[in-house]
Amino acid sequence: MGVAKYTRDEKDRITGVEYQSGIKVKPVYTPADLEACGFDYQRDLNDPGEYPFTRGIHPQGYRSRAWTMRQYSGFGTPEQTNERFKLLIANGQNGLNVAFDLPTQMGLDSDDQAAQGEVGRVGMAVDSLRDFELAFKDIALDKIGSGLTINAVASIMLAMYQAVAEKYGYRKEIISATPQNDILKEIVGRGAWLYPPRAGVKLIGDTIEYSVKELPRCNPVSICGYHLRESGATPAQEIAYAIQIANTYIDEVLQRGLEIDDFVGRFSFNINIYGNLWETVAKFRAAKKMWARTWLNATGPASRIKRCFSSGACLAAAVRV
Amino acid sequence: MKVLIAKPGLDGHDKGAKVICHTLRDAGIEVIYTGLHKSVEEIVSAAIQEDVDAIGLSMLSGAHLYYAEKIISGLKAKQAGDIIVFVGGVIPDRDMEKLRNLGVEGIFPGGSPLNATADFLHRKIGDK
């Protein structure tokens, strides 16, 4: 099915719309529909920047403050990647999103037999701190924040990022990084995992705990509904699994004696954009409300569902006809 | 007809491989899937042990030239050069010719119709 299926009567009027996920909607809505579902503005929608953050965490959306632009980039050697980073920043990009090659993602050195044929492809190769130093040379790490798109070894990459920043004279308190660091999603949806689930969750707990104590501007985990959707989940399953995975990491950190408000604001999300625009908007809004109602109270720190990717399916080469 | 669908190397994205497995099965072909992260040796040895007619490599990692070359020469070294090798996934246009020169007989990049792979196999191997 395409992004939406319309049924029509004999006069060509639309009688029903079914979105890709199978959800049926009416062609036209009126205030009577809001009344029928017991809609309460403050509870169910509210202003932008207000609990339950249905319309986002910024009071004026992105009208007074632009979003961060960080194109996923990185390939070949750290020198080539550094050149690319500088080109992107020179062209107006205000953040980085680092792509690592698969050997790095799987914790292998570039000279490992299993890495052959894949070194420097789909991302840059990192074997040691020296590679990180070259990749981030002459980047203003006090102004540019970095997404580190890596999971199984994300804790090591975050440590390297801090080490490089400090070497270049930036205090750890001012650097901003978001390692993807969602190991359960790798096990469920993407396949680049190294440790079994329990050990993976412990490692993520370590990263969150460390970031809360040492790296005040870092978001130690980005929960990826995106990959679950790409590997076959429906939109509803995508959000359900993503929030349940986040809950698992939260339970791990709570067990260590931290308070929920100490760290819940550090959670970032990466949700799939796919197919019908309105269905996608509704999914984002539902996800934000669910997250707020699960973990936030109306006066607590605003956690965010702040990041969205397009889908790999949408990015695939155009169909040859 | 019996076909091995393989995921060589470190990439963990196998929805495409699984969709192809289902499509071939529905077309009446016996299909074996290797699972993720397989080496050249594991793929060659599975193909020989299972006595398959063809191997399909699902490649999204950019390592398609490396793996096609190693797997085809690995098969020849074990006197199994008659096994047909085909490749699907993210394959840039500029590599099509190189893959064919390596001995890859079918290439199915993103956007290929779902039944193209089964049609190719029926054409190449017949109703074995």
Side-chain angles (χ1 to χ4, degrees):
Chain A
M1 182 168 43
V3 292
K5 190 169 70 182
Y6 297 91
T7 49
R8 293 169 190 275
D9 65 12
E10 68 284 352
K11 289 183 177 159
D12 208 31
R13 289 176 304 210
I14 295 168
T15 52
V17 184
E18 185 180 338
Y19 284 152
Q20 205 164 19
S21 59
I23 294 171
K24 294 189 172 81
V25 297
K26 290 161 54 170
V28 176
Y29 285 83
T30 68
D33 293 291
L34 292 178
E35 201 172 320
C37 69
F39 177 79
D40 178 297
Y41 177 77
Q42 277 202 324
R43 185 193 65 201
D44 297 321
L45 187 63
N46 215 352
D47 296 343
E50 295 295 327
Y51 186 88
F53 307 107
T54 316
R55 298 158 82 183
I57 56 167
H58 303 300
Q60 297 193 330
Y62 289 107
R63 284 179 176 79
S64 54
R65 173 186 178 275
W67 53 87
T68 307
M69 286 169 280
R70 44 171 113 243
Q71 192 175 57
Y72 186 48
S73 57
F75 61 90
T77 64
E79 289 93 335
Q80 287 172 304
T81 298
N82 179 254
E83 210 174 300
R84 180 74 184 172
F85 287 169
K86 287 177 182 164
L87 176 81
L88 291 169
I89 291 166
N91 281 279
Q93 196 166 283
N94 49 358
L96 296 172
N97 179 1
V98 185
F100 297 93
D101 70 3
L102 283 162
T104 304
Q105 290 182 43
M106 295 295 285
L108 299 173
D109 283 335
S110 294
D111 58 359
D112 193 292
Q113 179 59 37
Q116 300 316 296
E118 314 212 39
V119 176
R121 293 192 183 276
V122 308
M124 72 162 168
V126 175
D127 296 316
S128 72
L129 189 59
R130 177 70 183 149
D131 293 326
F132 244 73
E133 290 171 5
L134 295 169
F136 288 98
K137 195 165 186 305
D138 301 325
I139 307 283
L141 297 178
D142 53 342
K143 297 188 180 70
I144 298 285
S146 304
L148 307 172
T149 302
I150 195 158
N151 295 273
V153 296
S155 53
I156 299 167
M157 294 299 146
L158 182 62
M160 283 194 181
Y161 191 82
Q162 179 189 337
V164 166
E166 289 179 333
K167 178 175 172 145
Y168 288 146
Y170 301 102
R171 288 181 302 114
K172 68 181 192 303
E173 289 78 13
I174 60 168
I175 56 168
S176 167
T178 303
Q180 198 166 80
N181 202 26
D182 182 357
I183 289 175
L184 289 182
K185 160 272 292 185
E186 290 295 336
I187 294 169
V188 180
R190 188 175 166 268
W193 53 277
L194 292 174
Y195 329 105
R198 204 172 293 279
V201 170
K202 178 179 182 302
L203 201 51
I204 287 163
D206 290 347
T207 326
I208 296 172
E209 192 179 348
Y210 179 80
S211 299
V212 167
K213 290 175 179 163
E214 304 288 336
L215 303 171
R217 294 187 62 218
C218 289
N219 301 310
V221 60
S222 186
I223 308 292
C224 298
Y226 172 86
H227 300 94
L228 308 171
R229 176 83 176 111
E230 287 287 304
S231 57
T234 65
Q237 289 168 337
E238 173 193 355
I239 302 306
Y241 277 100
I243 289 185
Q244 187 52 40
I245 285 172
N247 292 349
T248 306
Y249 300 151
I250 286 176
D251 287 345
E252 167 69 21
V253 181
L254 288 175
Q255 276 176 25
R256 300 174 181 214
L258 273 75
E259 296 293 331
I260 184 76
D261 284 352
D262 293 342
F263 65 91
V264 74
R266 306 290 194 96
F267 274 65
S268 163
F269 284 81
N270 168 8
I271 307 290
N272 202 313
I273 295 172
Y274 188 100
N276 188 286
L277 172 69
W278 307 113
E279 182 177 301
T280 302
V281 169
K283 180 178 79 175
F284 270 72
R285 288 182 156 202
K288 285 185 274 197
K289 266 203 294 203
M290 281 176 69
W291 181 245
R293 287 175 180 164
T294 309
W295 290 112
L296 312 180
N297 55 54
T299 54
S303 178
R304 333 151 222 213
I305 288 194
K306 64 174 186 181
R307 196 186 300 184
C308 51
F309 276 22
S310 66
S311 85
C314 296
L315 297 171
V319 176
R320 286 151 224 255
V321 286
Chain B
M1 192 194 309
K2 201 170 179 184
V3 171
L4 182 74
I5 296 295
K7 272 302 286 186
L10 303 173
D11 175 39
H13 297 84
D14 66 348
K15 184 170 80 172
K18 287 170 179 165
V19 167
I20 291 296
C21 287
H22 281 249
T23 308
L24 297 183
R25 179 202 63 185
D26 292 347
I29 298 168
E30 186 178 347
V31 188
I32 299 151
Y33 174 45
T34 60
L36 294 175
H37 304 150
K38 293 296 176 269
S39 68
V40 170
E41 294 72 26
E42 286 169 325
I43 292 166
V44 167
S45 137
I48 291 168
Q49 285 176 17
E50 295 285 351
D51 193 23
V52 297
D53 300 296
I55 304 177
L57 307 176
S58 169
M59 301 294 313
L60 288 80
S61 63
H64 44 276
L65 292 171
Y66 174 86
Y67 274 101
E69 195 270 323
K70 293 283 176 197
I71 287 166
I72 289 169
S73 58
L75 289 169
K76 283 181 182 154
K78 301 267 186 186
Q79 285 76 50
D82 58 323
I83 296 177
I84 288 168
V85 174
F86 62 100
V87 175
V90 180
I91 312 295
D93 287 345
R94 64 175 181 274
D95 290 342
M96 299 281 181
E97 187 77 26
K98 291 177 199 161
L99 282 172
R100 286 197 191 93
N101 290 339
L102 289 171
V104 173
E105 296 193 43
I107 306 171
F108 304 94
S112 303
L114 204 48
N115 55 6
T117 314
D119 290 349
F120 159 82
L121 290 169
H122 282 303
R123 207 165 53 240
K124 277 278 174 194
I125 302 166
D127 294 324
K128 198 171 148 188

